[in-house]
Amino acid sequence: MGLLATGTPLEWPEAKKNAGHVREWGIEQLLAIWRRAKGKERDVLRWGDEVEYLVVALEDESRTVKLSLRQADILESVAKDEALCNQGGCVPDLQLVTRQADPLPIFHPEFGRFMLEATPGKPWGIGFKDLLDVEHNMKWRRNIAKDHMASNEYPITLTTFPRLGTKNDVCPYFPVSGERLRSQFLPDEIANPHIRFPTLAANIRSRRGRKVEINVPIFKDENTDTPFKDPTIDYDLHNWPEDDDVRNGAAKDDHIYMDAMAFGMGSCCLQITFQAKNITEGRRLYDQLSPLGPIMLALTAATPIYKGFLADTDVRWDQISRAVDDRTPEELGEVPLKHDRWRVPKSRYASNSTYISQDPRLRKEYMDPELIVDEELKKRLLDGGMDDLLATHFAHLFIRDPIVIFAEDLKELDLNKTDHFENLQSTNWQHMRFKPPPHDKDTGWRVEFRPMEIQITDYENAAFSIFIVLVTRAILSFDLNFYIPIPLTTQNMQTAHARNAVLDSKFFFRNDPLPPRPIRLTNGIASASGTTTPTPHPSRPPTPPTPVGPVEDEYSLMTVDEIINGQPNGTGFPGLIPLVESYLNSMNVDVETRCALARYLDLIRKRASGHLWTGAKWIREFVRSHREYKGDSVVSEGLCYDLVKAVEEITRQEGKGGTVGKEMFRGESTGRP
């Protein structure tokens, strides 16, 4: 969750007047961090995961399910639990949390009043035993949350609530079309009441001069209307000036239309943060993980329903991007520039546009030719001693306006704080985030991996967390190189949205990730200690540190299966799982631990090959095979109830004994489902 400051928020006209002031002070705070922490060293690479839950209330008699807006009550109940307090507590927003030998998980509020966020009580270490504790810890978090809910409430890990925005979707009931969101479909009360959130939503709308526009392609089933015109839209609503948006064409034919920030920021995801040993290692991880983002987005696809309709997409990313898109018509290129500074190609929630590592393998041809940079702020960073790559990165982030400004923060600049810097940093929601150390904690340089969809079960979420951690270990141990041109990663992010992209689409990926230095190969990939795992990659002579030749020869289109499991016939990309297995071989992991890790890697391997379904595939097939479904793309109230009930059962059973959801964990299908 982003910055949660308090104070007197400025409405957009006043915030706009002070935007430049906040940017300048944010740059000065960044330089202060840079001077203090650029040489900071940590002992080991640590990491943490962040899981987000929807809180749902099931009514069995009426076969209905709604989002419960009792976030505050649930967190208060957790904070007041005497047994948990005696163990150190776990709600730092409401109590003083103390560290114990085995600390409790930590719970935070999120944007939606129907959401909870949970993290481990302390960072995970580098040891393999820590990896085997992740799933248990995730189950522990879910159990604590459930223990402090009503008997009919459940913490589920769906990306979005299938019928969010259907006007009968929350309890308690509130009327729609409030002053802050001005949404046709959602009440203002759906958002966390902390002043940051309603101000963020209102100022995004005010800055862009209209409501956000989210149009998701409808899935065309056999009985879906053609053209499909979203039947939930009220074209005769006249409560606010922005109600004219739909009369002016905001809603597209053959699309599901949504009009508020909550449709995006009310989504759940799985995020992993790595603390690097130093800034050099952090910058390297940031760059090398970036091309993996779209692959992991497609592999974790879990979002095929919006506002009670089946969508023709499988993931959430673009919907969140549009939900917080504050760009004006000039910045969008809809009208000529007159009042704004530049045309901005991407929303502030988007894929990365920069590489930042001082890696000799980073070619200028990989950089984004459309990158927009605030040159004055970049010069200030350069004058302050920052190198060009990192100065460019932050000067790009700072082309945005700060959306929420508190009047109290404008009185004086405090270089021992990071409030102005974080104001911009925390509202640039890119698929990777490079995080400087906070000024008041013993924390190092961090990298946040943000693209993955939340999964239905703790087993899946643990598997994807562990996989990404092991990939980072392989990157650092083998000096792997995944660089491709940034525009291709941007294109890959779009490709990941396609229905069943995990099997039906191809992604640009680097052909050869192995290092240029001499390495020991035995019919495969070298390991850090010289031991190997057989893989279909031939040995070859060392190459120059800086690649030469056409950039186009360095990458090709690959399936997710080829990227994860390797290309066949002994040539081409070796596969991320074989690389991870080579790393594990090099570390001489004991048999018991290796077998336990293999259980998680097997899920990744089979998802990529199609032997197991993604969450999106399973949800879509559940809907289409349901007795109430009429082949018209509509997810009815009763169908939604049965879906959420099934999700809750899957959370407990994980498809064991042939129970619901086996296709995601131990399915019998082979190849393309």
Side-chain angles (χ1 to χ4, degrees):
M1 185 176 59
L3 182 67
L4 275 189
T6 57
T8 307
L10 302 182
E11 294 188 358
W12 179 244
E14 283 302 309
K16 183 178 181 180
K17 295 176 185 177
N18 289 279
H21 184 58
V22 171
R23 277 192 294 267
E24 290 172 5
W25 278 11
I27 290 295
E28 295 306 316
Q29 289 180 336
L30 172 60
L31 281 172
I33 298 168
W34 167 256
R35 296 185 188 107
R36 282 196 302 265
K38 62 182 178 180
K40 192 168 190 175
E41 295 280 342
R42 303 299 302 152
D43 292 334
V44 294
L45 188 149
R46 297 186 182 276
W47 67 281
D49 68 89
E50 177 184 313
V51 174
E52 295 168 338
Y53 307 93
L54 303 177
V55 182
V56 296
L58 289 159
E59 297 294 342
D60 294 334
E61 290 188 9
S62 60
R63 283 187 66 242
T64 59
V65 58
K66 299 178 181 180
L67 288 169
S68 171
L69 304 186
R70 294 200 324 110
Q71 174 195 89
D73 297 333
I74 295 166
L75 290 176
E76 183 177 4
S77 176
V78 174
K80 290 183 176 180
D81 185 307
E82 186 174 345
L84 295 179
C85 289
N86 290 337
Q87 296 178 65
C90 50
V91 189
D93 297 83
L94 299 178
Q95 62 187 147
L96 177 64
V97 172
T98 59
R99 287 287 179 91
Q100 306 288 325
D102 186 19
L104 292 167
I106 298 296
F107 290 88
H108 290 286
E110 254 295 345
F111 175 87
R113 285 174 65 189
F114 51 86
M115 301 173 72
L116 298 174
E117 173 192 304
T119 61
K122 65 178 181 180
W124 298 112
I126 196 170
F128 293 105
K129 296 297 185 183
D130 272 17
L131 296 179
L132 302 186
D133 289 338
V134 173
E135 182 181 356
H136 169 74
N137 190 275
M138 289 180 174
K139 292 182 185 297
W140 188 20
R141 294 174 227 173
R142 195 187 297 262
N143 289 337
I144 290 174
K146 172 56 186 160
D147 288 346
H148 295 84
M149 295 179 182
S151 60
N152 70 324
E153 290 178 333
Y154 298 89
I156 64 170
T157 43
L158 284 178
T159 313
T160 61
F161 184 66
R163 286 180 57 84
L164 178 65
T166 57
K167 300 183 182 179
N168 190 30
D169 53 349
V170 299
C171 60
Y173 169 81
F174 292 98
V176 301
S177 196
E179 181 180 5
R180 292 292 188 170
L181 297 182
R182 302 191 180 183
S183 171
Q184 284 203 16
F185 312 108
L186 300 174
D188 281 1
E189 290 82 2
I190 204 166
N192 186 316
H194 186 286
I195 193 61
R196 177 180 187 258
F197 295 111
T199 303
L200 188 63
N203 283 0
I204 284 175
R205 172 178 48 75
S206 296
R207 188 186 188 280
R208 62 180 275 123
R210 52 191 169 180
K211 290 190 288 187
V212 295
E213 296 176 9
I214 310 166
N215 284 282
V216 184
I218 190 74
F219 171 69
K220 288 295 188 75
D221 215 336
E222 56 185 9
N223 296 323
T224 307
D225 290 341
T226 301
F228 172 83
K229 294 182 180 292
D230 190 330
T232 66
I233 299 170
D234 183 355
Y235 286 92
D236 295 321
L237 193 65
H238 293 276
N239 291 347
W240 307 102
E242 293 88 348
D243 291 331
D244 286 340
D245 289 358
V246 291
R247 291 183 283 274
N248 294 331
K252 300 178 181 178
D253 284 355
D254 293 324
H255 286 73
I256 307 157
Y257 170 71
M258 293 165 282
D259 66 351
M261 181 178 172
F263 283 109
M265 286 304 195
S267 303
C268 297
C269 67
L270 172 66
Q271 295 178 180
I272 312 296
T273 299
F274 302 96
Q275 177 183 269
K277 293 172 68 173
N278 51 42
I279 188 172
T280 300
E281 186 175 88
R283 293 168 72 163
R284 183 176 167 197
L285 283 177
Y286 177 93
D287 281 12
Q288 296 303 325
L289 287 174
S290 183
L292 273 61
I295 313 307
M296 299 308 297
L297 178 60
L299 194 58
T300 58
T303 319
I305 304 175
Y306 278 98
K307 216 177 66 174
F309 298 104
L310 281 176
D312 204 32
T313 57
D314 273 0
V315 301
R316 79 200 186 285
W317 190 267
D318 271 0
Q319 283 62 266
I320 308 178
S321 176
R322 297 179 184 119
V324 295
D325 192 352
D326 67 337
R327 288 176 296 171
T328 67
E330 291 182 20
E331 290 170 332
L332 286 164
E334 297 174 351
V335 298
L337 284 173
K338 184 177 180 181
H339 303 290
D340 294 311
R341 296 186 291 171
W342 36 58
R343 180 183 172 275
V344 181
K346 295 180 180 179
S347 167
R348 62 198 304 152
Y349 196 113
S351 58
N352 285 25
S353 295
T354 57
Y355 286 131
I356 62 175
S357 178
Q358 294 174 307
D359 188 327
R361 301 171 299 183
L362 175 56
R363 303 175 65 172
K364 66 180 187 305
E365 294 93 336
Y366 301 156
M367 309 306 273
D368 188 348
E370 294 189 345
L371 187 70
I372 305 297
V373 172
D374 188 317
E375 294 294 346
E376 290 186 10
L377 296 183
K378 178 180 176 179
K379 183 178 184 302
R380 177 69 190 102
L381 291 171
L382 292 172
D383 291 345
M386 190 175 288
D387 61 89
D388 186 80
L389 278 170
L390 203 56
T392 298
H393 168 76
F394 286 115
H396 166 65
L397 299 185
F398 273 57
I399 67 171
R400 311 288 178 177
D401 280 338
I403 299 299
V404 180
I405 299 175
F406 294 102
E408 293 81 357
D409 294 336
L410 298 174
K411 294 179 180 178
E412 62 179 338
L413 172 61
D414 187 344
L415 294 180
N416 290 315
K417 295 174 66 176
T418 59
D419 50 343
H420 298 294
F421 168 70
E422 287 293 345
N423 198 329
L424 276 301
Q425 164 91 342
S426 67
T427 55
N428 272 275
W429 297 281
Q430 298 186 341
H431 84 276
M432 298 291 304
R433 181 177 283 161
F434 185 64
K435 304 174 73 170
H439 75 285
D440 58 347
K441 295 180 181 178
D442 185 26
T443 303
W445 294 88
R446 293 152 295 153
V447 175
E448 192 173 73
F449 188 75
R450 302 170 46 81
M452 292 190 292
E453 307 253 287
I454 197 73
Q455 304 295 285
I456 291 175
T457 69
D458 301 308
Y459 163 48
E460 297 166 275
N461 288 316
F464 282 105
S465 301
I466 290 166
F467 176 63
I468 286 296
V469 171
L470 291 175
V471 168
T472 65
R473 302 297 196 269
I475 289 170
L476 296 176
S477 293
F478 298 152
D479 197 19
L480 299 178
N481 177 10
F482 294 126
Y483 276 126
I484 59 173
I486 285 172
L488 296 185
T489 298
T490 301
Q491 185 174 335
N492 283 346
M493 288 293 281
Q494 292 303 306
T495 301
H497 285 72
R499 178 164 44 92
N500 213 31
V502 68
L503 297 182
D504 295 341
S505 299
K506 290 189 174 184
F507 298 79
F508 291 103
F509 211 74
R510 190 175 186 87
N511 296 321
D512 184 2
L514 295 178
R517 65 176 182 267
I519 52 178
R520 297 176 61 183
L521 290 164
T522 306
N523 189 32
I525 303 170
S527 70
S529 64
T531 57
T532 61
T533 293
T535 61
H537 203 297
S539 63
R540 67 241 186 264
T543 55
T546 302
V548 295
V551 169
E552 293 77 13
D553 292 344
E554 298 177 2
Y555 58 83
S556 59
L557 285 167
M558 304 181 199
T559 64
V560 171
D561 187 21
E562 290 172 329
I563 294 168
I564 297 297
N565 295 317
Q567 293 182 315
N569 304 322
T571 60
F573 188 75
L576 295 178
I577 284 184
L579 286 166
V580 163
E581 289 178 332
S582 287
Y583 165 73
L584 292 173
N585 282 350
S586 76
M587 299 303 292
N588 298 316
V589 182
D590 65 85
V591 174
E592 182 180 358
T593 301
R594 187 67 183 267
C595 289
L597 292 174
R599 171 174 169 259
Y600 297 115
L601 294 179
D602 195 52
L603 175 73
I604 310 299
R605 178 185 290 109
K606 290 181 178 179
R607 283 278 174 91
S609 69
H611 285 75
L612 297 178
W613 291 4
T614 63
K617 171 76 173 178
W618 180 84
I619 292 169
R620 191 180 299 277
E621 292 305 311
F622 183 96
V623 169
R624 298 187 71 200
S625 62
H626 193 275
R627 65 186 182 279
E628 290 186 14
Y629 182 66
K630 300 177 181 179
D632 55 0
S633 308
V634 175
V635 180
S636 67
E637 197 166 16
L639 200 167
C640 183
Y641 166 83
D642 287 344
L643 173 61
V644 173
K645 284 279 284 188
V647 165
E648 201 281 319
E649 179 183 341
I650 289 171
T651 301
R652 289 181 285 106
Q653 299 291 337
E654 294 176 353
K656 296 171 184 174
T659 54
V660 64
K662 65 179 182 179
E663 302 89 349
M664 288 186 284
F665 311 104
R666 42 190 58 81
E668 299 168 357
S669 62
T670 58
R672 191 177 303 278

